[in-house]
Amino acid sequence: MSHYLHITVDLLFGFAGLFVFNQVLGKAHFSKLTPFEFVAILVLGDLVGNAVYQPDVTAAQIVYGILIWGLIIYAIGRLTLKSKKMRTLFEGEPSIVIRRGHLQYDVMRRNMLDLDQLLSMLRQQGYFSLREIEYAVLETNGMISVLPKRPYGPPTRADLGLHGVGGRVPITLILDGRLQSDNLGKASLSEPWLKQQLADRGITSYEGVLYADWDPEEGLFVMPHQ
């Protein structure tokens, strides 16, 4: 009887610890997991599961284990918020697997993605032929984002009799206060021009910008830090 009581108490403490862990880390960590977050959750579940059925493990030790593991994940989460390098290290970067209607075989090989898998993922997004795809991006959580060619996507501005060019992907110029120099060159823009655009908006440095991108049709979009 005491053994069952021990399991019950440990489960209650484990549940309480996991509930606090979830509240502290936030909902985003459990929506669509990156590979690192997936491993972190597996380790956490294994930690609690093994501890519950070990008679010599106390409830306090379970809570302590959850606390230490939670602090490690929380610290890494804070680092990834502040540093793009750390974010890339732990979360990876999105990969363009279809660019302008053409498969990027080297990118697919790096991500261990074969054609059958790609076609399956596209079908789940509602696209049944590669001819329909302008861009496809493999996200860090393993999902795929699709920009269809104009004939296969939602009604475009041209369909509505409006001027404009479809099938464009905005180019990120500033991310978390850091200039994306390579992207600036791809957009055929100069840094003095960008600084002047920011100055016109009352922003004196890149650190004052959370996010900025360039679209040839719609121009520069800037989201300052709050």
Side-chain angles (χ1 to χ4, degrees):
M1 187 68 179
S2 60
H3 179 64
Y4 290 104
L5 179 62
H6 167 80
I7 293 176
T8 302
V9 172
D10 284 355
L11 281 173
L12 289 174
F13 273 91
F15 173 80
L18 291 174
F19 179 79
V20 173
F21 180 86
N22 181 36
Q23 295 299 310
V24 171
L25 292 188
K27 297 177 182 177
H29 281 268
F30 300 93
S31 53
K32 289 185 173 63
L33 302 178
T34 64
F36 170 75
E37 290 166 343
F38 178 71
V39 172
I41 297 304
L42 284 181
V43 172
L44 182 64
D46 190 58
L47 175 68
V48 175
N50 288 336
V52 165
Y53 295 102
Q54 296 293 330
D56 56 335
V57 176
T58 65
Q61 290 173 324
I62 293 176
V63 173
Y64 177 77
I66 294 174
L67 175 63
I68 295 300
W69 188 244
L71 286 174
I72 293 172
I73 303 303
Y74 179 79
I76 292 174
R78 297 298 297 179
L79 284 174
T80 57
L81 283 175
K82 295 178 179 295
S83 169
K84 187 176 186 302
K85 290 182 178 180
M86 294 297 294
R87 190 180 312 143
T88 301
L89 175 64
F90 286 103
E91 298 180 2
E93 289 184 308
S95 303
I96 300 177
V97 293
I98 300 178
R99 183 190 296 273
R100 296 174 183 167
H102 297 286
L103 287 172
Q104 306 298 296
Y105 295 103
D106 56 334
V107 177
M108 293 176 63
R109 281 194 295 269
R110 286 201 303 270
N111 288 277
M112 303 293 289
L113 178 68
D114 62 46
L115 188 56
D116 287 335
Q117 289 174 313
L118 177 61
L119 291 173
S120 174
M121 297 169 77
L122 291 175
R123 288 194 295 270
Q124 292 176 54
Q125 295 292 323
Y127 301 99
F128 288 79
S129 173
L130 292 176
R131 76 177 67 188
E132 303 174 36
I133 311 302
E134 184 74 12
Y135 283 88
V137 181
L138 183 64
E139 305 292 356
T140 57
N141 57 17
M143 303 294 289
I144 196 163
S145 301
V146 178
L147 178 67
K149 294 178 180 177
R150 282 192 290 170
Y152 304 103
T156 64
R157 300 176 68 168
D159 295 329
L160 301 175
L162 302 175
H163 297 292
V165 179
R168 294 187 182 274
V169 176
I171 300 174
T172 303
L173 300 181
I174 302 174
L175 188 63
D176 280 348
R178 296 180 181 276
L179 176 67
Q180 310 299 298
S181 302
D182 292 343
N183 288 350
L184 192 65
K186 292 176 183 177
S188 300
L189 301 173
S190 67
E191 191 169 352
W193 174 87
L194 179 58
K195 288 182 176 179
Q196 183 60 51
Q197 292 294 313
L198 296 179
D200 292 343
R201 292 168 169 78
I203 301 173
T204 58
S205 68
Y206 298 136
E207 286 77 10
V209 180
L210 178 64
Y211 173 85
D213 68 27
W214 168 259
D215 184 283
E217 183 180 343
E218 298 186 7
L220 181 67
F221 171 77
V222 178
M223 181 181 291
H225 270 296
Q226 299 296 323

